[in-house]
Amino acid sequence: MAGLKDATAIVGIGQTPFAKHLPEDERTLACRAVLAALDDAGIAPGEVDALASYTMEETDEVELAKACGFGDLTFFSKVGFGGGGSCATVAHLAAAITAGQASVGVAWRSRKRGSGPRPWTNTTVQLPTPAQWTRPYGLLRPVDEIAMLTRRYMHEYGATRDHLFNVALACRNRANQNPAAIMYDRPLTREMYMTSRWVSEPLCLFDNCLETDGALACVVVSAERARDCRREPVYVHSAAQSLPAQHHGMVNYWNDDPLTGPAWSAARHLWKHSDLAPEDVDVAQIYDAFTPLVLLSLEGYGFCGRGEGGAFTEGGALETGGLLPVNTGGGGLSEAYVHGFNLINEGVKQLRGTSTAQVPGASTCLVTAGEGVPTSALLLRN
Amino acid sequence: MLRPVTDPDGAPFWEYAARGELRVQGCVECGELRFPPRPCCPHCQSFEAEWRLVSGGGRVWSYVVPHPPLLPDYAELAPYNVVVVELDEAPRIRLVGNLVAEPGAAIDSMPAERLRIGARVRVVLGDGLPAWVLERA
């Protein structure tokens, strides 16, 4: 069985500026990011025949295709569960291209979370099953749901706020090197972290991602086609999606084992279909809507043992030159929170050697999507 | 304050709660309890369910203390607590709720420093929304 291994490659990436407020609407931002990615790849818009994005994306396929001048589309998909779908967009395009359903795929994400309303304030929208069991009690926001898991995690394994700070700091330090990052010129200190306001105890302001306006896109083609593109191909070595047995989304308390989230099962598939192991990963872009997700993901993807995510962050392990540099563009915590698409593009930059916090000689990069929801992941290599 | 927006699977829970009973959905065929309620049993796929009365005793599995920005009614009470309680009868059944100082008290009535994982609690069913109080030692 051939599978997806190295069968496709990302050959173009594009992005708009990131800011708290951008004047243009989501659709315009989407078009800008997509056309920038196609230009980066050296591929004409008329050649695009596949699209993939994820839910909570307001720009639909018809509008994007019309505005950008795509050809006949033969494949399009939207992956469910918000931020869990980021890596799956590339995976769906890779699968479609490998199966012969399309030849040039574009994945994209456009959001105005910086200047738009917060999704959780819309209580008229009937949320999935958990809402009736949680919202009346005041468990209202994603941060409250993840803080509940975090408190239990700290209790069971002795993880501390310093461990969470290590995650926030690594992201901020990398953002301080990245002129495109919202937190480019704003260093973070331990004192700032420890004295910042609570959002949902035990999580404080700096444990939360940034509310951001912005859009990103990437272009996926077959490995064969990639050899003729403008840029060095970044191969999709392995890809995974996961909705584990008895998973319950952000409120995973109804699972037998709430502290093993979708990262664990995504990782099993990812490594099984890969020639690589966690110790072969040079750099990782780990979904960081909240700092504790990084600890849970480090365990899930096998960089350390269960309950060891906190200790793993000690001694600068997540920093440049550390055991596993993470979120080298600044991540959702300090570059931009665009439902994790910036992590995909940053992975590509690392393997092209063009990151603003380049890991010397990086040849493999793990990219993950939202943990705590049905998720996805990519293993990229050059 | 938000009231539960029920669905057909969940409605019996709230109807029992309004009558002062804490009941959890269980499978008639294999006997397994499940939560949240759903159409069929994930263990044996039976569609035959019943609602079992539970003792209302449990332990705090975890808790959070939300601070603004929150919906206005909740922001007024913040910081308050939200707990997850593991039921005595079924440790895998974990209910979200609030720990209050006494039956009928507001969700901000229990000082945060008194919250502790593992604390024994028992349910109080006043206005149909289950709340929890510390069990006297």
Side-chain angles (χ1 to χ4, degrees):
Chain A
M1 187 189 72
L4 293 186
K5 194 194 293 178
D6 302 325
T8 58
I10 299 174
V11 292
I13 54 174
Q15 69 189 51
T16 67
F18 304 128
K20 189 90 178 163
H21 297 283
L22 291 176
E24 293 182 323
D25 63 16
E26 278 184 355
R27 190 163 53 178
T28 306
L29 295 173
C31 293
R32 289 198 187 281
V34 165
L35 292 175
L38 286 164
D39 182 57
D40 186 51
I43 292 176
E47 286 194 70
V48 173
D49 57 7
L51 289 177
S53 194
Y54 35 132
T55 49
M56 299 170 74
E57 169 62 46
E58 299 295 326
T59 305
D60 82 17
E61 295 87 343
V62 173
E63 292 302 322
L64 192 65
K66 221 162 32 172
C68 293
F70 296 155
D72 294 342
L73 296 184
T74 56
F75 179 89
F76 35 93
S77 77
K78 276 232 173 85
V79 186
F81 308 103
S86 60
C87 292
T89 59
V90 172
H92 283 203
L93 294 175
I97 291 165
T98 305
Q101 292 297 102
S103 58
V104 175
V106 170
W108 86 96
R109 181 49 141 199
S110 177
R111 296 200 91 189
K112 294 196 76 173
R113 270 289 289 279
S115 54
R118 295 166 193 234
W120 56 264
T121 58
N122 188 357
T123 58
T124 59
V125 173
Q126 182 54 14
L127 292 156
T129 311
Q132 69 184 303
W133 311 109
T134 58
R135 294 295 186 269
Y137 303 104
L139 198 73
L140 302 175
R141 307 160 296 181
V143 64
D144 303 316
E145 299 171 333
I146 295 303
M148 191 74 84
L149 287 177
T150 305
R151 174 91 63 183
R152 180 72 194 189
Y153 178 82
M154 294 166 106
H155 171 82
E156 276 195 30
Y157 298 120
T160 65
R161 290 192 69 210
D162 264 306
H163 293 140
L164 301 177
F165 166 64
N166 290 342
V167 173
L169 182 66
C171 291
R172 185 62 67 92
N173 285 342
R174 298 296 81 73
N176 292 161
Q177 296 172 257
N178 174 11
I182 290 180
M183 294 296 178
Y184 173 53
D185 52 1
R186 298 174 64 179
L188 177 69
T189 66
R190 184 175 181 279
E191 192 193 353
M192 286 165 67
Y193 177 91
M194 291 296 171
T195 58
S196 72
R197 67 179 170 87
W198 294 115
V199 177
S200 193
E201 296 176 55
L203 299 181
C204 70
L205 179 66
F206 296 112
D207 293 310
N208 289 257
C209 59
L210 304 168
E211 300 290 350
T212 305
D213 287 4
L216 300 108
C218 72
V219 181
V220 182
V221 299
S222 71
E224 195 179 19
R225 169 78 191 261
R227 285 191 277 275
D228 302 325
C229 287
R230 186 178 284 167
R231 299 283 194 171
E232 282 290 303
V234 169
Y235 295 97
V236 180
H237 179 68
S238 181
Q241 270 192 282
S242 174
L243 194 171
Q246 294 297 303
H247 174 63
H248 280 280
M250 303 280 283
V251 281
N252 206 29
Y253 325 123
W254 303 312
N255 190 309
D256 285 3
D257 185 356
L259 297 180
T260 56
W264 291 76
S265 48
R268 275 196 295 276
H269 185 93
L270 194 76
W271 299 125
K272 183 179 163 191
H273 294 273
S274 165
D275 296 338
L276 306 165
E279 55 268 29
D280 301 317
V281 171
D282 296 323
V283 56
Q285 316 298 335
I286 299 179
Y287 197 92
D288 58 344
F290 307 104
T291 54
L293 298 183
V294 174
L295 305 186
L296 295 170
S297 298
L298 288 168
E299 297 174 17
Y301 287 97
F303 294 103
C304 59
R306 178 162 180 167
E308 295 172 359
F312 185 90
T313 68
E314 292 170 5
L318 308 182
E319 304 281 344
T320 301
L323 214 47
L324 183 71
V326 301
N327 300 3
T328 43
L333 288 162
S334 279
E335 182 187 31
Y337 183 59
V338 198
H339 257 169
F341 209 106
N342 53 326
L343 301 176
I344 300 173
N345 282 14
E346 176 61 21
V348 172
K349 289 172 193 171
Q350 278 288 345
L351 300 183
R352 286 177 173 180
T354 60
S355 170
T356 50
Q358 185 61 41
V359 172
S363 64
T364 56
C365 180
L366 171 72
V367 185
T368 76
E371 169 63 349
V373 289
T375 194
S376 53
L378 295 171
L379 204 49
L380 304 176
R381 57 167 283 268
N382 58 14
Chain B
M1 306 294 276
L2 299 174
R3 297 298 299 181
V5 178
T6 67
D7 61 10
D9 294 318
F13 177 94
W14 300 108
E15 287 159 17
Y16 285 118
R19 281 191 253 154
E21 292 179 3
L22 187 67
R23 287 182 182 260
V24 174
Q25 191 186 34
C27 178
V28 171
E29 291 291 327
C30 73
E32 288 278 344
L33 292 175
R34 60 181 189 256
F35 191 87
R38 61 189 86 112
C40 59
C41 174
H43 305 282
C44 74
Q45 286 72 44
S46 168
F47 283 76
E48 298 302 314
E50 61 190 0
W51 285 84
R52 306 243 193 85
L53 192 63
V54 293
S55 69
R59 284 178 186 277
V60 173
W61 182 83
S62 186
Y63 63 95
V64 297
V65 181
H67 292 250
L70 290 156
L71 295 172
D73 288 349
Y74 292 88
E76 256 175 53
L77 296 171
Y80 56 88
N81 73 75
V82 187
V83 296
V84 168
V85 174
E86 217 164 31
L87 297 185
D88 285 342
E89 287 90 345
R92 288 174 294 125
I93 306 286
R94 304 184 184 96
L95 301 180
V96 176
N98 306 109
L99 189 61
V100 296
E102 57 188 13
I107 61 174
D108 63 343
S109 58
M110 177 60 71
E113 54 274 19
R114 294 201 58 198
L115 292 158
R116 183 172 63 80
I117 287 179
R120 293 203 55 83
V121 295
R122 70 181 161 80
V123 76
V124 286
L125 292 153
D127 63 349
L129 195 64
W132 302 85
V133 293
L134 287 174
E135 193 172 273
R136 289 178 198 284

